[in-house]
Amino acid sequence: MTVFHKSRLQRCSTLSATLLVAAWVGGCSSSGDIDFRGAGGSGDGDAGGTNEVASVGGMSPGTMAGGTGGVGGGGGEAPSDPCEDGEWTCLRMGTKGPYGSHAIVVPAAQNWVNTGLFLTTGQTAQLTVEGGSWMVNNKEGQGIDHGSCLIGDLVARIGLHYKDQALTCVDGSATFTADKEGILFLGALPSNDLGESYETRRTATGEKTVRVESDGHTVPTVLATEAADYPFAEVSSGWVEIMGAHIIVTLPVATATVDAVVLETALDTLDEFYELHEELRSGVPQHGQRIRFFPDGTNPGLMLAGNPVRMKTTLVTAEKRISRAGQPGVGVWGYAHELGHDFSFVDGNWTYQVKTLESWPNIFSVHAFEKMQLTLHKNTIDCDMNSTGNYDAWSAWVGLCFLRQFEFAYGWSFYKDFFVELNKQQGNQGIKNWNTVHDAFETVAGEDITPIFEAWSVPNPG
């Protein structure tokens, strides 16, 4: 009997409201495409049968997400098998179906549970709630702008496609029919998809246990440390998820097979971005759970921050794809940037980013790139301590250059100290506009910084 572990999550804070798009400023090569569609067919099954889930009760701050540090934590070593020893629900699964029957614990605070089931269009799964309860947030019972489900509902969906209309609300039991092929995910509905970027699961507590039964194919979760020797060619669904210490990447088997020997390096690179962002922020987003990079293809922009980080499908198929992160010539700025968005939204604080929503994430990127001795983005080259700009007409890159003036003047300790102050609040209460940012900057600097604001025509209280 396979035993899957998860935690009982305990978080309490205030919910934020307005939602904005956070898209990557950057580019990507689309050459060297790989055929990523699932192989289909049927397997003789090493993952069939009935498997039960066991709960691991209790959790202390700083021990979240299988070794990921909690808010203010310093991380830690990943357990030998996060799906068995970690704090969040994940299913390892075998390489072939039939899927069989699995009881899966779905924490309300988890950003979608991969059931390990792949369905083709029209294929079905029987879903039965076997127990549990949850409280998601103070918007429960309200509708969203995609699909008919209400906030607080248990939702089943194929893939994590942005603002998918085909959400299935599960009340007691339901026969789920796939409207398209893909991985079946379960989760509590906290908001629309965009809202999850802004931590709308921040106050969620509780869990439900859901039995999933199907004859579909399986989707293995593979540790990055195992990837080089994993038999990807045997995976009948055509899809896998690769798990690092802090990051999960959803990949077509065709890509994973070709990149098997470099997948550990790719996840190590993404994990290091996460750890350096945490070092700067002294906190972690999304309860400290792993951040998933998911090939969407329907999202606005090349990538969209949150959990998951939604990507165009070329980022798992093109020559310079995410699974080759860390290899020479493969650009990685965008991945650091999207993670920077997530870290800039910790605890639902984000309105301090006035006209700089795309600039603050790049503060995290610059910090990480400098620490890792990577070449900075070309659009940062012309910025130095003598630069000035026009606030009324500035771009994301000009906004970044303004923010870097304080790094140039005071070093990275300036932003570490600023984020310590920001971490004292939740839900945009306090440091929430230019005047309050100015005052917080001045407190951290220990001297008058108004001349820098005035040189860039940035609003300030003087």
Side-chain angles (χ1 to χ4, degrees), residues 110-167:
Q110 185 161 343
N111 292 77
W112 304 102
V113 174
N114 174 0
T115 64
L117 172 62
F118 181 91
L119 296 174
T120 57
T121 304
Q123 199 168 17
T124 63
Q126 186 63 37
L127 309 177
T128 306
V129 179
E130 295 189 337
S133 63
W134 57 38
M135 180 66 69
V136 178
N137 58 45
N138 62 4
K139 304 293 184 181
E140 287 195 7
Q142 297 184 19
I144 61 173
D145 59 356
H146 58 100
S148 60
C149 298
L150 304 178
I151 293 173
D153 284 352
L154 169 65
V155 167
R157 62 193 299 178
I158 290 293
L160 296 172
H161 305 287
Y162 184 66
K163 291 195 175 182
D164 196 343
Q165 296 290 332
L167 305 182

Tab-separated table of all heavy atoms in Angstrom, residues 110-167:
chain	number	residue	atom	x	y	z
A	110	GLN	N	-3.433	24.551	-0.656
A	110	GLN	CA	-2.520	24.075	-1.689
A	110	GLN	C	-2.978	24.554	-3.054
A	110	GLN	O	-4.143	24.406	-3.426
A	110	GLN	CB	-2.417	22.551	-1.678
A	110	GLN	CG	-1.370	22.020	-2.660
A	110	GLN	CD	-0.929	20.606	-2.361
A	110	GLN	OE1	-1.142	20.089	-1.273
A	110	GLN	NE2	-0.294	19.960	-3.329
A	111	ASN	N	-2.034	25.092	-3.823
A	111	ASN	CA	-2.346	25.614	-5.154
A	111	ASN	C	-2.449	24.487	-6.171
A	111	ASN	O	-1.572	24.295	-6.998
A	111	ASN	CB	-1.276	26.623	-5.587
A	111	ASN	CG	-1.323	27.880	-4.761
A	111	ASN	OD1	-0.867	27.894	-3.619
A	111	ASN	ND2	-1.880	28.946	-5.303
A	112	TRP	N	-3.527	23.738	-6.049
A	112	TRP	CA	-3.888	22.671	-6.959
A	112	TRP	C	-3.055	21.410	-6.747
A	112	TRP	O	-1.834	21.449	-6.786
A	112	TRP	CB	-3.859	23.128	-8.420
A	112	TRP	CG	-4.752	24.310	-8.627
A	112	TRP	CD1	-4.358	25.615	-8.743
A	112	TRP	CD2	-6.180	24.293	-8.651
A	112	TRP	NE1	-5.458	26.420	-8.857
A	112	TRP	CE2	-6.602	25.636	-8.818
A	112	TRP	CE3	-7.153	23.295	-8.583
A	112	TRP	CZ2	-7.946	26.001	-8.887
A	112	TRP	CZ3	-8.481	23.650	-8.656
A	112	TRP	CH2	-8.872	24.977	-8.811
A	113	VAL	N	-3.758	20.324	-6.514
A	113	VAL	CA	-3.149	19.016	-6.291
A	113	VAL	C	-3.175	18.238	-7.598
A	113	VAL	O	-4.243	18.022	-8.189
A	113	VAL	CB	-3.903	18.226	-5.204
A	113	VAL	CG1	-3.359	16.803	-5.088
A	113	VAL	CG2	-3.804	18.950	-3.860
A	114	ASN	N	-2.017	17.826	-8.045
A	114	ASN	CA	-1.905	16.950	-9.207
A	114	ASN	C	-2.336	15.552	-8.764
A	114	ASN	O	-1.686	14.928	-7.928
A	114	ASN	CB	-0.464	16.947	-9.713
A	114	ASN	CG	-0.224	15.941	-10.830
A	114	ASN	OD1	-1.121	15.226	-11.263
A	114	ASN	ND2	1.009	15.870	-11.296
A	115	THR	N	-3.423	15.040	-9.325
A	115	THR	CA	-3.955	13.730	-8.915
A	115	THR	C	-3.122	12.572	-9.442
A	115	THR	O	-3.346	11.426	-9.058
A	115	THR	CB	-5.396	13.546	-9.402
A	115	THR	OG1	-5.402	13.532	-10.849
A	115	THR	CG2	-6.305	14.658	-8.885
A	116	GLY	N	-2.178	12.876	-10.356
A	116	GLY	CA	-1.419	11.800	-10.988
A	116	GLY	C	-2.185	11.086	-12.074
A	116	GLY	O	-1.756	10.032	-12.557
A	117	LEU	N	-3.317	11.667	-12.507
A	117	LEU	CA	-4.182	11.045	-13.519
A	117	LEU	C	-4.173	11.868	-14.801
A	117	LEU	O	-4.373	13.093	-14.770
A	117	LEU	CB	-5.612	10.942	-12.990
A	117	LEU	CG	-6.692	10.482	-13.977
A	117	LEU	CD1	-6.411	9.069	-14.497
A	117	LEU	CD2	-8.077	10.550	-13.319
A	118	PHE	N	-3.975	11.189	-15.929
A	118	PHE	CA	-4.059	11.818	-17.248
A	118	PHE	C	-5.294	11.276	-17.955
A	118	PHE	O	-5.496	10.057	-18.044
A	118	PHE	CB	-2.814	11.501	-18.080
A	118	PHE	CG	-2.809	12.138	-19.450
A	118	PHE	CD1	-2.245	13.386	-19.639
A	118	PHE	CD2	-3.380	11.489	-20.535
A	118	PHE	CE1	-2.236	13.980	-20.896
A	118	PHE	CE2	-3.380	12.077	-21.797
A	118	PHE	CZ	-2.810	13.324	-21.978
A	119	LEU	N	-6.132	12.195	-18.456
A	119	LEU	CA	-7.340	11.804	-19.176
A	119	LEU	C	-7.280	12.298	-20.614
A	119	LEU	O	-6.797	13.399	-20.876
A	119	LEU	CB	-8.584	12.383	-18.495
A	119	LEU	CG	-8.891	11.900	-17.075
A	119	LEU	CD1	-10.076	12.668	-16.489
A	119	LEU	CD2	-9.150	10.400	-17.050
A	120	THR	N	-7.767	11.481	-21.527
A	120	THR	CA	-7.945	11.922	-22.900
A	120	THR	C	-9.324	12.560	-23.031
A	120	THR	O	-10.188	12.404	-22.150
A	120	THR	CB	-7.822	10.742	-23.872
A	120	THR	OG1	-8.791	9.739	-23.523
A	120	THR	CG2	-6.432	10.125	-23.809
A	121	THR	N	-9.557	13.294	-24.101
A	121	THR	CA	-10.839	13.967	-24.296
A	121	THR	C	-11.985	12.962	-24.241
A	121	THR	O	-11.970	11.940	-24.928
A	121	THR	CB	-10.854	14.698	-25.642
A	121	THR	OG1	-9.746	15.612	-25.693
A	121	THR	CG2	-12.159	15.469	-25.833
A	122	GLY	N	-12.957	13.245	-23.386
A	122	GLY	CA	-14.121	12.370	-23.236
A	122	GLY	C	-13.951	11.286	-22.189
A	122	GLY	O	-14.937	10.654	-21.792
A	123	GLN	N	-12.734	11.050	-21.733
A	123	GLN	CA	-12.498	10.032	-20.715
A	123	GLN	C	-13.005	10.548	-19.368
A	123	GLN	O	-13.051	11.754	-19.115
A	123	GLN	CB	-11.011	9.706	-20.644
A	123	GLN	CG	-10.683	8.386	-19.967
A	123	GLN	CD	-9.235	7.978	-20.181
A	123	GLN	OE1	-8.385	8.782	-20.564
A	123	GLN	NE2	-8.940	6.707	-19.937
A	124	THR	N	-13.381	9.635	-18.478
A	124	THR	CA	-14.020	10.028	-17.234
A	124	THR	C	-13.230	9.588	-16.001
A	124	THR	O	-12.383	8.698	-16.060
A	124	THR	CB	-15.440	9.450	-17.127
A	124	THR	OG1	-15.370	8.014	-17.109
A	124	THR	CG2	-16.302	9.913	-18.288
A	125	ALA	N	-13.561	10.233	-14.897
A	125	ALA	CA	-13.069	9.844	-13.577
A	125	ALA	C	-14.212	10.028	-12.590
A	125	ALA	O	-14.979	10.997	-12.682
A	125	ALA	CB	-11.870	10.687	-13.164
A	126	GLN	N	-14.335	9.099	-11.652
A	126	GLN	CA	-15.346	9.224	-10.611
A	126	GLN	C	-14.710	9.887	-9.395
A	126	GLN	O	-13.681	9.422	-8.890
A	126	GLN	CB	-15.898	7.852	-10.217
A	126	GLN	CG	-17.072	7.913	-9.241
A	126	GLN	CD	-18.287	8.620	-9.822
A	126	GLN	OE1	-18.574	8.484	-11.029
A	126	GLN	NE2	-19.001	9.387	-9.006
A	127	LEU	N	-15.312	10.975	-8.938
A	127	LEU	CA	-14.784	11.732	-7.805
A	127	LEU	C	-15.773	11.653	-6.645
A	127	LEU	O	-16.960	11.932	-6.818
A	127	LEU	CB	-14.567	13.190	-8.192
A	127	LEU	CG	-13.760	13.454	-9.475
A	127	LEU	CD1	-13.689	14.945	-9.757
A	127	LEU	CD2	-12.372	12.848	-9.367
A	128	THR	N	-15.282	11.290	-5.470
A	128	THR	CA	-16.135	11.166	-4.288
A	128	THR	C	-15.457	11.815	-3.087
A	128	THR	O	-14.325	11.452	-2.749
A	128	THR	CB	-16.420	9.690	-3.958
A	128	THR	OG1	-16.965	9.035	-5.117
A	128	THR	CG2	-17.398	9.574	-2.801
A	129	VAL	N	-16.132	12.764	-2.462
A	129	VAL	CA	-15.604	13.389	-1.258
A	129	VAL	C	-15.850	12.452	-0.084
A	129	VAL	O	-16.996	12.125	0.232
A	129	VAL	CB	-16.256	14.755	-0.998
A	129	VAL	CG1	-15.700	15.383	0.280
A	129	VAL	CG2	-16.043	15.689	-2.182
A	130	GLU	N	-14.790	12.022	0.571
A	130	GLU	CA	-14.912	11.050	1.654
A	130	GLU	C	-14.860	11.683	3.032
A	130	GLU	O	-15.073	10.995	4.037
A	130	GLU	CB	-13.813	9.998	1.518
A	130	GLU	CG	-13.959	9.150	0.253
A	130	GLU	CD	-13.012	7.979	0.209
A	130	GLU	OE1	-11.959	8.025	0.886
A	130	GLU	OE2	-13.323	6.995	-0.497
A	131	GLY	N	-14.594	12.978	3.101
A	131	GLY	CA	-14.583	13.636	4.397
A	131	GLY	C	-13.802	14.925	4.380
A	131	GLY	O	-13.149	15.266	3.395
A	132	GLY	N	-13.895	15.650	5.497
A	132	GLY	CA	-13.139	16.879	5.660
A	132	GLY	C	-13.970	18.131	5.445
A	132	GLY	O	-15.118	18.086	4.988
A	133	SER	N	-13.371	19.248	5.782
A	133	SER	CA	-14.006	20.552	5.589
A	133	SER	C	-12.915	21.600	5.484
A	133	SER	O	-11.765	21.359	5.860
A	133	SER	CB	-14.940	20.883	6.754
A	133	SER	OG	-14.208	20.978	7.962
A	134	TRP	N	-13.300	22.780	4.976
A	134	TRP	CA	-12.321	23.852	4.891
A	134	TRP	C	-12.989	25.210	4.924
A	134	TRP	O	-14.202	25.338	4.744
A	134	TRP	CB	-11.440	23.709	3.660
A	134	TRP	CG	-12.105	23.658	2.304
A	134	TRP	CD1	-13.195	24.363	1.863
A	134	TRP	CD2	-11.681	22.847	1.194
A	134	TRP	NE1	-13.466	24.062	0.557
A	134	TRP	CE2	-12.561	23.134	0.117
A	134	TRP	CE3	-10.653	21.933	1.007
A	134	TRP	CZ2	-12.437	22.508	-1.129
A	134	TRP	CZ3	-10.531	21.327	-0.224
A	134	TRP	CH2	-11.408	21.605	-1.275
A	135	MET	N	-12.172	26.197	5.199
A	135	MET	CA	-12.558	27.600	5.106
A	135	MET	C	-11.514	28.259	4.210
A	135	MET	O	-10.329	28.264	4.535
A	135	MET	CB	-12.580	28.272	6.479
A	135	MET	CG	-12.984	29.734	6.441
A	135	MET	SD	-14.706	29.999	5.928
A	135	MET	CE	-15.566	29.323	7.352
A	136	VAL	N	-11.957	28.789	3.075
A	136	VAL	CA	-11.004	29.277	2.076
A	136	VAL	C	-10.664	30.749	2.295
A	136	VAL	O	-9.504	31.113	2.458
A	136	VAL	CB	-11.537	29.027	0.650
A	136	VAL	CG1	-10.564	29.573	-0.392
A	136	VAL	CG2	-11.753	27.532	0.427
A	137	ASN	N	-11.666	31.604	2.279
A	137	ASN	CA	-11.452	33.023	2.560
A	137	ASN	C	-12.800	33.687	2.778
A	137	ASN	O	-13.842	33.011	2.767
A	137	ASN	CB	-10.638	33.719	1.452
A	137	ASN	CG	-11.283	33.610	0.071
A	137	ASN	OD1	-12.494	33.803	-0.081
A	137	ASN	ND2	-10.479	33.317	-0.950
A	138	ASN	N	-12.796	35.009	2.968
A	138	ASN	CA	-14.051	35.690	3.285
A	138	ASN	C	-14.898	36.021	2.062
A	138	ASN	O	-15.871	36.773	2.172
A	138	ASN	CB	-13.775	36.959	4.099
A	138	ASN	CG	-12.923	37.984	3.353
A	138	ASN	OD1	-12.587	37.800	2.182
A	138	ASN	ND2	-12.555	39.066	4.040
A	139	LYS	N	-14.544	35.449	0.912
A	139	LYS	CA	-15.336	35.647	-0.300
A	139	LYS	C	-16.137	34.397	-0.666
A	139	LYS	O	-16.695	34.320	-1.768
A	139	LYS	CB	-14.421	36.019	-1.480
A	139	LYS	CG	-13.547	37.249	-1.252
A	139	LYS	CD	-14.360	38.523	-1.141
A	139	LYS	CE	-13.448	39.731	-1.015
A	139	LYS	NZ	-14.213	40.995	-0.874
A	140	GLU	N	-16.189	33.431	0.219
A	140	GLU	CA	-16.857	32.165	-0.103
A	140	GLU	C	-18.310	32.397	-0.538
A	140	GLU	O	-19.020	33.228	0.019
A	140	GLU	CB	-16.806	31.207	1.081
A	140	GLU	CG	-15.421	30.626	1.308
A	140	GLU	CD	-15.427	29.413	2.229
A	140	GLU	OE1	-16.515	28.936	2.589
A	140	GLU	OE2	-14.331	28.936	2.578
A	141	GLY	N	-18.723	31.648	-1.565
A	141	GLY	CA	-20.069	31.759	-2.105
A	141	GLY	C	-20.191	32.729	-3.255
A	141	GLY	O	-21.229	32.768	-3.933
A	142	GLN	N	-19.152	33.519	-3.513
A	142	GLN	CA	-19.180	34.455	-4.632
A	142	GLN	C	-18.692	33.777	-5.910
A	142	GLN	O	-17.893	32.853	-5.876
A	142	GLN	CB	-18.312	35.672	-4.328
A	142	GLN	CG	-18.792	36.493	-3.145
A	142	GLN	CD	-17.967	37.754	-2.923
A	142	GLN	OE1	-17.256	38.214	-3.827
A	142	GLN	NE2	-18.070	38.332	-1.736
A	143	GLY	N	-19.179	34.248	-7.041
A	143	GLY	CA	-18.769	33.710	-8.325
A	143	GLY	C	-17.474	34.329	-8.809
A	143	GLY	O	-16.978	35.311	-8.244
A	144	ILE	N	-16.925	33.748	-9.860
A	144	ILE	CA	-15.722	34.277	-10.497
A	144	ILE	C	-16.018	34.499	-11.977
A	144	ILE	O	-17.131	34.212	-12.441
A	144	ILE	CB	-14.513	33.339	-10.306
A	144	ILE	CG1	-14.785	31.971	-10.952
A	144	ILE	CG2	-14.190	33.188	-8.822
A	144	ILE	CD1	-13.575	31.046	-10.962
A	145	ASP	N	-15.040	34.996	-12.720
A	145	ASP	CA	-15.286	35.364	-14.117
A	145	ASP	C	-14.940	34.262	-15.113
A	145	ASP	O	-14.836	34.523	-16.312
A	145	ASP	CB	-14.540	36.658	-14.475
A	145	ASP	CG	-13.035	36.554	-14.280
A	145	ASP	OD1	-12.563	35.499	-13.802
A	145	ASP	OD2	-12.327	37.525	-14.603
A	146	HIS	N	-14.748	33.028	-14.632
A	146	HIS	CA	-14.595	31.903	-15.568
A	146	HIS	C	-15.156	30.646	-14.907
A	146	HIS	O	-14.721	30.258	-13.835
A	146	HIS	CB	-13.135	31.720	-16.000
A	146	HIS	CG	-12.153	31.490	-14.896
A	146	HIS	ND1	-11.670	30.247	-14.562
A	146	HIS	CD2	-11.541	32.366	-14.054
A	146	HIS	CE1	-10.811	30.354	-13.571
A	146	HIS	NE2	-10.715	31.632	-13.242
A	147	GLY	N	-16.156	30.070	-15.570
A	147	GLY	CA	-16.808	28.886	-15.027
A	147	GLY	C	-17.904	29.256	-14.043
A	147	GLY	O	-18.059	30.404	-13.632
A	148	SER	N	-18.685	28.234	-13.657
A	148	SER	CA	-19.847	28.460	-12.799
A	148	SER	C	-19.594	28.154	-11.331
A	148	SER	O	-20.489	28.338	-10.496
A	148	SER	CB	-21.009	27.584	-13.291
A	148	SER	OG	-20.647	26.205	-13.251
A	149	CYS	N	-18.413	27.672	-10.973
A	149	CYS	CA	-18.128	27.324	-9.586
A	149	CYS	C	-17.994	28.576	-8.721
A	149	CYS	O	-17.671	29.661	-9.218
A	149	CYS	CB	-16.854	26.491	-9.497
A	149	CYS	SG	-16.952	24.910	-10.371
A	150	LEU	N	-18.247	28.399	-7.440
A	150	LEU	CA	-18.188	29.500	-6.492
A	150	LEU	C	-16.958	29.370	-5.606
A	150	LEU	O	-16.451	28.273	-5.359
A	150	LEU	CB	-19.448	29.511	-5.627
A	150	LEU	CG	-20.784	29.578	-6.363
A	150	LEU	CD1	-21.938	29.542	-5.365
A	150	LEU	CD2	-20.866	30.813	-7.246
A	151	ILE	N	-16.482	30.508	-5.108
A	151	ILE	CA	-15.354	30.495	-4.181
A	151	ILE	C	-15.700	29.611	-2.993
A	151	ILE	O	-16.783	29.723	-2.410
A	151	ILE	CB	-15.011	31.926	-3.737
A	151	ILE	CG1	-14.468	32.726	-4.933
A	151	ILE	CG2	-14.001	31.926	-2.593
A	151	ILE	CD1	-14.247	34.196	-4.643
A	152	GLY	N	-14.794	28.723	-2.650
A	152	GLY	CA	-15.021	27.759	-1.577
A	152	GLY	C	-15.365	26.373	-2.080
A	152	GLY	O	-15.274	25.404	-1.324
A	153	ASP	N	-15.752	26.256	-3.359
A	153	ASP	CA	-16.084	24.946	-3.922
A	153	ASP	C	-14.836	24.090	-4.089
A	153	ASP	O	-13.728	24.607	-4.310
A	153	ASP	CB	-16.742	25.101	-5.304
A	153	ASP	CG	-18.194	25.566	-5.226
A	153	ASP	OD1	-18.736	25.619	-4.109
A	153	ASP	OD2	-18.766	25.875	-6.293
A	154	LEU	N	-15.035	22.776	-4.025
A	154	LEU	CA	-14.018	21.835	-4.495
A	154	LEU	C	-14.132	21.783	-6.006
A	154	LEU	O	-15.223	21.550	-6.546
A	154	LEU	CB	-14.252	20.450	-3.894
A	154	LEU	CG	-13.438	19.303	-4.485
A	154	LEU	CD1	-11.946	19.482	-4.211
A	154	LEU	CD2	-13.926	17.962	-3.945
A	155	VAL	N	-13.023	21.998	-6.690
A	155	VAL	CA	-13.028	22.086	-8.155
A	155	VAL	C	-12.089	21.043	-8.748
A	155	VAL	O	-10.982	20.823	-8.249
A	155	VAL	CB	-12.612	23.501	-8.607
A	155	VAL	CG1	-12.296	23.539	-10.104
A	155	VAL	CG2	-13.719	24.499	-8.281
A	156	ALA	N	-12.547	20.410	-9.826
A	156	ALA	CA	-11.717	19.525	-10.639
A	156	ALA	C	-11.536	20.178	-12.001
A	156	ALA	O	-12.475	20.765	-12.544
A	156	ALA	CB	-12.373	18.159	-10.778
A	157	ARG	N	-10.327	20.073	-12.556
A	157	ARG	CA	-10.066	20.709	-13.847
A	157	ARG	C	-8.961	19.959	-14.581
A	157	ARG	O	-8.095	19.346	-13.959
A	157	ARG	CB	-9.657	22.179	-13.649
A	157	ARG	CG	-8.381	22.356	-12.860
A	157	ARG	CD	-8.145	23.796	-12.401
A	157	ARG	NE	-8.034	24.743	-13.511
A	157	ARG	CZ	-7.862	26.056	-13.334
A	157	ARG	NH1	-7.784	26.568	-12.107
A	157	ARG	NH2	-7.759	26.854	-14.373
A	158	ILE	N	-9.024	20.003	-15.906
A	158	ILE	CA	-7.944	19.450	-16.725
A	158	ILE	C	-6.908	20.538	-16.955
A	158	ILE	O	-7.201	21.592	-17.527
A	158	ILE	CB	-8.470	18.945	-18.077
A	158	ILE	CG1	-9.310	17.694	-17.875
A	158	ILE	CG2	-7.315	18.648	-19.040
A	158	ILE	CD1	-8.537	16.478	-17.384
A	159	GLY	N	-5.700	20.285	-16.488
A	159	GLY	CA	-4.650	21.277	-16.619
A	159	GLY	C	-4.915	22.481	-15.745
A	159	GLY	O	-5.884	22.547	-14.979
A	160	LEU	N	-4.053	23.479	-15.874
A	160	LEU	CA	-4.183	24.725	-15.121
A	160	LEU	C	-4.187	25.889	-16.099
A	160	LEU	O	-3.473	26.880	-15.939
A	160	LEU	CB	-3.035	24.846	-14.108
A	160	LEU	CG	-3.035	23.759	-13.020
A	160	LEU	CD1	-1.754	23.830	-12.187
A	160	LEU	CD2	-4.265	23.866	-12.128
A	161	HIS	N	-5.009	25.759	-17.137
A	161	HIS	CA	-5.073	26.757	-18.194
A	161	HIS	C	-5.765	28.015	-17.690
A	161	HIS	O	-6.803	27.954	-17.027
A	161	HIS	CB	-5.793	26.174	-19.415
A	161	HIS	CG	-5.174	24.900	-19.895
A	161	HIS	ND1	-3.963	24.869	-20.551
A	161	HIS	CD2	-5.577	23.603	-19.777
A	161	HIS	CE1	-3.641	23.613	-20.835
A	161	HIS	NE2	-4.602	22.836	-20.375
A	162	TYR	N	-5.184	29.146	-18.039
A	162	TYR	CA	-5.611	30.425	-17.476
A	162	TYR	C	-7.080	30.716	-17.741
A	162	TYR	O	-7.558	30.682	-18.874
A	162	TYR	CB	-4.739	31.545	-18.044
A	162	TYR	CG	-5.019	32.902	-17.463
A	162	TYR	CD1	-4.766	33.162	-16.131
A	162	TYR	CD2	-5.532	33.918	-18.258
A	162	TYR	CE1	-5.012	34.415	-15.589
A	162	TYR	CE2	-5.778	35.181	-17.735
A	162	TYR	CZ	-5.521	35.422	-16.397
A	162	TYR	OH	-5.768	36.663	-15.873
A	163	LYS	N	-7.796	30.973	-16.666
A	163	LYS	CA	-9.219	31.310	-16.703
A	163	LYS	C	-10.031	30.320	-17.547
A	163	LYS	O	-10.919	30.706	-18.313
A	163	LYS	CB	-9.430	32.750	-17.165
A	163	LYS	CG	-8.946	33.769	-16.150
A	163	LYS	CD	-9.471	35.175	-16.424
A	163	LYS	CE	-9.061	36.128	-15.301
A	163	LYS	NZ	-9.582	37.491	-15.513
A	164	ASP	N	-9.739	29.046	-17.357
A	164	ASP	CA	-10.468	27.973	-18.030
A	164	ASP	C	-11.935	28.017	-17.617
A	164	ASP	O	-12.259	28.122	-16.430
A	164	ASP	CB	-9.841	26.627	-17.638
A	164	ASP	CG	-10.248	25.490	-18.552
A	164	ASP	OD1	-11.245	25.635	-19.292
A	164	ASP	OD2	-9.578	24.437	-18.514
A	165	GLN	N	-12.825	27.949	-18.589
A	165	GLN	CA	-14.260	27.925	-18.301
A	165	GLN	C	-14.728	26.550	-17.850
A	165	GLN	O	-15.777	26.418	-17.221
A	165	GLN	CB	-15.041	28.355	-19.554
A	165	GLN	CG	-14.801	29.780	-19.998
A	165	GLN	CD	-15.402	30.808	-19.052
A	165	GLN	OE1	-16.391	30.545	-18.365
A	165	GLN	NE2	-14.801	31.986	-19.002
A	166	ALA	N	-13.959	25.521	-18.169
A	166	ALA	CA	-14.397	24.141	-17.920
A	166	ALA	C	-13.957	23.663	-16.539
A	166	ALA	O	-13.143	22.752	-16.398
A	166	ALA	CB	-13.854	23.222	-19.007
A	167	LEU	N	-14.500	24.302	-15.501
A	167	LEU	CA	-14.260	23.877	-14.129
A	167	LEU	C	-15.440	23.038	-13.662
A	167	LEU	O	-16.596	23.407	-13.893
A	167	LEU	CB	-14.088	25.089	-13.206
A	167	LEU	CG	-13.026	26.124	-13.578
A	167	LEU	CD1	-12.983	27.221	-12.523
A	167	LEU	CD2	-11.659	25.479	-13.747
